[in-house]
């Protein structure tokens, strides 16, 4: 089984963090690969960055789906799950976002959780996802540690400290049983944060890898009946001319 | 006052339909301009098309915001409101999606409405927007006339007929007071449909133009405090390298 | 185009504040008129005052709809939108409440807002409206500055000060992008509050005037199909005998 | 114990129907009285009728609360619960609407119910109440038998027949355990409908009388802390001048 | 009329508290009886205790329903309403949970209430019930006084003090009109708490008794159409073999 | 890794069906064991059966958790997830219900699904779970094939036929991308149904096994902070005396 992790931003160091998290957690017979788009923002810290990165995600999926050993499942390793439904249209393979993965898992081990994410301006993104996925009431609060995403790479000790501080506030004030980490770049911090905060900590990259393994094991693929069917073939212009008349239905049959 | 209509798909005929609808409805002192992205799909009929088109929308806004007589407001003239929040981050000017515009207006003249859109696979997009905007319970049903978007251009008589048929079913079965048209390409059909169905019909392009005029008149611009603040400047790679270190905060001050 | 503003309370000074706000914001070719009911409370600060004022609102609409240059739209200039649906039954013209107007506009320029209203006992009225209109989750919190409505007239400096203080608390604690002013009597304070608080401020009277202009421009009138159809003619007794066998359907045809 | 039933419309025949229903159901030591407002519509079939009737309801409560043997509780015997919160402000006695009473009782004997009301245009009123009271999801469907309210008086056999037909459709199509009757004028039909439809039938007047007895027995009165406190005394003008400076707090102490 | 109160835990002292509350509040012609299961936990402080106690509740109902003067209604006197829907399946008599009873009554005298319960770990139980019953938004907050249930028996002065303290915090911070007591063991404390806190206090045992009287008076019994019909007869094994082929439909006909 | 499947009913044939489904789907290094309670109903077809079976589930968990090679995770293999939260209190191991498992998985491969369950009277159970888990709006409809649970064993051809018929109706009428099977006894029918209906079919037992593997792989256990902490030790009486002073906290440390 091959699971491919797409880091939707273009920072290769973060791709490595994510790949390592995936490799560590994967089953013995799961092969983890990882990549980032060629084009896009170095970090995703708002709706604008998300919109750009979604196209990079789609490019990666279309490219990888043509490899001879095409992935059996994809993980979108950014907590906003950018382009998730579009990605599901583009491939028959299951596609899991790390935000959804973490939310799902958190509801299985606790009745209420809080999220600790990076910047305050991304809180709304997590709130919108909680609404869309149905977990609004399972989440007591989305909290921001107020650290820029790349500080997870560049100033990791200080970043860790601030996440732990916010996690402790969540534990003491929110009446929760678990914490969800709100950034793919935190994938290597799970154990430390859990130990320091004293609560189970659900991290999305690892959660998504295991959910992807589960779906593949179940032989459940993205439904190609209805709104997640392959995109209708049609002309595209300009930069996207290569997508013209892309008949994924035929290509994947 | 200048309001710029962005047709998120790349079919210039549809841009003309939209422009004409805007020109017809605009106040005497409002100048309507319209454009479509250089790059993108010729029609938007699913999540995948939407994700691609969102980038084209952002490109247009960034380009137009640098014109000397930059628009006072933008309208996104595709019923999925692709890239709406990202667009709001990118500019200080108000940005109105035609789905949200139509929904807002419909709730002001009726207690319950139904949507008539193009293809069944886009129903979910309208449902997600109704949820996000808060109008789930004001909408009785999202109905599809099962016409491809470009049939509105290429087979317009048959398309009109099917929309009217679906509108009549909505009137007779849904217990509604108004109908919302679910595609920017229907902007020229409003009067006919309303007359044939016998219900008020709310069309998004025209609704959005008037909402944009209203916001500009109120001197209300997109809030730059919080999650709609200009994107944080940062490197972008590849195709999007031109977005690197884009300090919209400074550029717009 | 004529838009008539109904101040649902009977304080003529407040009618003037509202008229001035309307005149200032209206388009060049919009004529603003304003009135208050002959009968009713001098201020509206609870469910009881609202119920009484709703009848005054209806009286005004029935009276004005018989003028030869009958209004093209009505604005109900009290933040509880008293009698809104009844008013929509009574006339073909669009009727806009200032609470709904402000909520709609606030969602177009921010993802989350808070309301600053007058007395704590009216908070529930705003909350019920947020629920009914669908904006519960767009509003972080309804806050009261704890000023009686008429203090906006009689002790305006102190009232302004308290509103600004509450607005600053909202800005600092609520994670919002905009503030909605929760009383028609605050219509002249918008600019000052926005400047002092440092957030966009949405005020209902002005918002409603622009929405009314928008609907009239769109030729969208209250749907007369379904539950907003003209009231069924029937006998009324006592004070309301003049409403007996009122066939608005015929009168307006 | 005295429970006073207010028929919010001015048709005395319906007041008698309601009174009889109340007398029949009341406990041995409960005295039932009933009245209708002097002023108002002869039937309530929409938002407009409701708004007018709400004032009549308040007049009755203010009048009755000054009697030496003032009622221990009030029942508002119209299915739209017109003026309910205003009525609660106006008195310390519990006030129960028949719609809320029926909804509450129906949830205690079934997991899902449907409503059978009079005219289609009043469906929205019931839906709004279900939302406000929290019972949206307990109600499968609000159905209209399409009978004008006064036909319950004037053409009662035909009206009964249509209600039973609609009730049978509800039983067969909705997956429900009980039916709620959606009009105070149906108070004498409960047993017949239940027998013919073969489901428990919850009728609001009788339900409200028993809830009122329950609250009085519990010594629970309308909370005078917060938004249901007595209205703030203030001047009223015109027809309502008699309400000026009404200090209910003092009058009731 | 006989109403039987089932204390779902096995502490007879608490059964006495509950019986006394019931006797005090019951109408003159209502006979109150009370019992506790033979088997089960001495207090209910979590999901585990609840699951065990539910079976004891069912045993009691099956036993009592065979008495010659079988109860006309049952009250489940634990704030988690353990086994409520199962109990409704098991008998034709109405079954009222004290949590639902208290919530229903609180919404009739206030627009917003808070709950004061025993231990923090039971907060989630009350929240789940508020969701299921539809009262999520009528309740501002579920608060725990952090007292073990049996302290209400064994250390009652200290327990009362802590409940009052929490009630005062609710009054001052939550913007509420009433308080709901979140444990059947508080049934004797209502008056004191109400007096000390200065708010109406709704207690579930008493509320449920009056609701039960109301339903019996209305001749409304649990619907035997649909999902609350008597359980399908079938074999049971082991401890529950006595339930085998129990045809309650026949036994109760 | 050992995952133990608890069939909450006492029909050993169904336990075998479930075990086989688990064994077939489990990873190579996962050991599947299965059992049913000694005491309880032979099938679970309503709230009553559920309440009884929950205790059997808890007995099994307490028993198995004392084995030397105690299970790493539990699956509750009845679609009502009976006793789920109580079970989570009772053990540190993850506990997965098959309804929640199926719902979670279905949302990962489709935007909308329908459920096909056994008897109409169990529809409400699935609806309540959808509400509690947050998936109400992801599920278009819960449908019953109207087959008693044990017909899956005893009349399996006819049962399969009816499930397929209902699945085809769901596919044609509901606008869905996937079907969820609503009974643990259908675990061996997944492939046939999917092939005949032409939609992905999510079955709970298999889904739960894979989710359990995922959680164990993630080292995520039920949170013992908050409301899922081990039950407070206390006396139990009668049949449950063996639970007295059960200090699971100590036993599991």
């Amino acid at each position: 089984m091959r699971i491919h992790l797409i880091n939707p931003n273009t920072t290769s160091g973060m791709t490595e963090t994510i790949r390592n998290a995936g490799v560590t957690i994967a089953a013995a017979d799961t092969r983890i690969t990882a990549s980032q788009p060629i084009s896009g923002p170095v970090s995703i810290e708002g709706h604008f960055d998300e919109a750009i990165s979604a196209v990079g995600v789609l490019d990666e999926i279309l490219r990888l789906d043509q490899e001879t050993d095409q992935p059996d499942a994809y993980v979108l390793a950014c907590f906003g799950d950018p382009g998730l439904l579009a990605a599901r249209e583009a491939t028959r393979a299951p596609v899991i976002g790390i935000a959804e993965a973490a939310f799902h898992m958190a509801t299985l081990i606790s009745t209420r959780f809080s999220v600790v994410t990076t910047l305050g301006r991304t809180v709304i993104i997590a709130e919108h996802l909680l609404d869309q996925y149905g977990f609004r009431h399972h989440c007591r609060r989305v909290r921001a540690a107020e650290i820029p995403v790349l500080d997870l790479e560049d100033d990791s000790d200080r970043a860790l400290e601030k996440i732990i501080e916010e996690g402790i506030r969540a534990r003491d004030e929110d009446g929760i049983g678990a914490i969800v980490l709100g950034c793919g770049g935190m994938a290597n911090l799970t154990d430390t944060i859990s130990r320091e905060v004293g609560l189970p900590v659900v991290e999305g990259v690892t959660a998504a890898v295991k959910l992807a393994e589960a779906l593949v094991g179940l032989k459940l693929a993205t439904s190609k009946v209805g709104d997640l069917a392959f995109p209708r073939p049609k002309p595209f212009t300009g930069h996207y001319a290569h997508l013209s008349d892309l008949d994924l239905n035929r290509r994947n049959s």
Side-chain angles (χ1 to χ4, degrees), chain A:
Chain A
M1 186 191 315
R2 176 187 175 192
I3 297 175
H4 187 83
L5 315 185
I6 300 173
N7 170 19
N9 75 38
T10 58
T11 297
S12 60
M14 200 164 285
T15 309
E16 286 317 295
T17 301
I18 289 162
R19 184 205 311 270
N20 290 339
V23 166
T24 304
I25 203 67
D29 54 351
T30 300
R31 186 157 64 96
I32 296 292
T33 53
S35 67
Q36 74 258 351
I38 292 166
S39 302
V42 298
S43 63
I44 300 175
E45 299 171 318
H47 310 294
F48 184 89
D49 296 343
E50 272 207 347
I52 303 295
S53 70
V55 177
V57 165
L58 298 179
D59 279 342
E60 285 300 285
I61 286 179
L62 292 176
R63 177 177 70 79
L64 288 150
D65 250 10
Q66 285 197 292
E67 295 188 353
T68 47
D69 65 333
Q70 66 187 84
D72 296 287
Y74 292 95
V75 168
L76 303 194
C78 168
F79 203 76
D81 294 353
L84 179 60
L85 293 179
R88 286 193 178 136
E89 274 190 17
T91 180
R92 202 185 289 282
V95 186
I96 311 290
I98 65 169
E100 67 176 350
F103 296 153
H104 282 276
M105 290 307 192
T107 67
L108 297 177
I109 59 163
S110 67
T111 54
R112 293 287 188 268
F113 61 85
S114 285
V115 177
V116 178
T117 187
T118 52
L119 293 173
R121 73 181 294 165
T122 68
V123 166
I124 194 73
I125 294 176
E127 290 185 349
H128 283 169
L129 293 180
L130 288 163
D131 282 349
Q132 186 180 332
Y133 299 151
F135 301 128
R136 174 199 293 270
H137 295 299
H138 299 78
C139 178
R140 289 272 187 212
R141 191 162 162 191
V142 181
R143 291 168 168 272
E146 295 301 352
I147 43 173
V149 168
L150 291 187
D151 278 15
L152 291 164
E153 299 277 305
D154 304 336
D155 189 6
S156 58
D157 286 357
R158 179 73 189 117
L160 177 59
E161 194 181 318
K162 291 175 92 169
I163 296 166
I164 290 171
E165 283 168 14
E166 196 66 31
I168 288 172
R169 275 192 288 273
R171 179 197 67 194
D172 293 345
E173 299 172 8
D174 295 358
I176 53 173
I179 281 178
V180 164
L181 294 186
C183 179
M186 300 175 183
N188 54 334
L189 309 177
T190 319
D191 291 347
T192 310
I193 298 169
S194 180
R195 195 177 53 241
E196 294 297 319
V197 175
L199 281 178
V201 169
V202 185
E203 189 280 320
V205 176
T206 45
V209 166
K210 299 314 274 185
L211 273 178
E213 288 179 346
L215 284 169
V216 174
L218 289 162
K219 295 191 174 45
L220 284 172
T222 300
S223 177
K224 289 295 143 188
V225 177
D227 61 282
L228 298 180
F230 289 118
R232 304 183 81 228
K234 64 184 58 170
F236 281 71
T237 61
H239 279 318
Y240 307 110
H242 62 288
L243 300 175
S244 287
D245 300 313
L246 186 67
D247 190 342
L248 291 173
N249 216 15
R250 204 178 46 201
R251 201 175 89 173
N252 285 281
S253 67

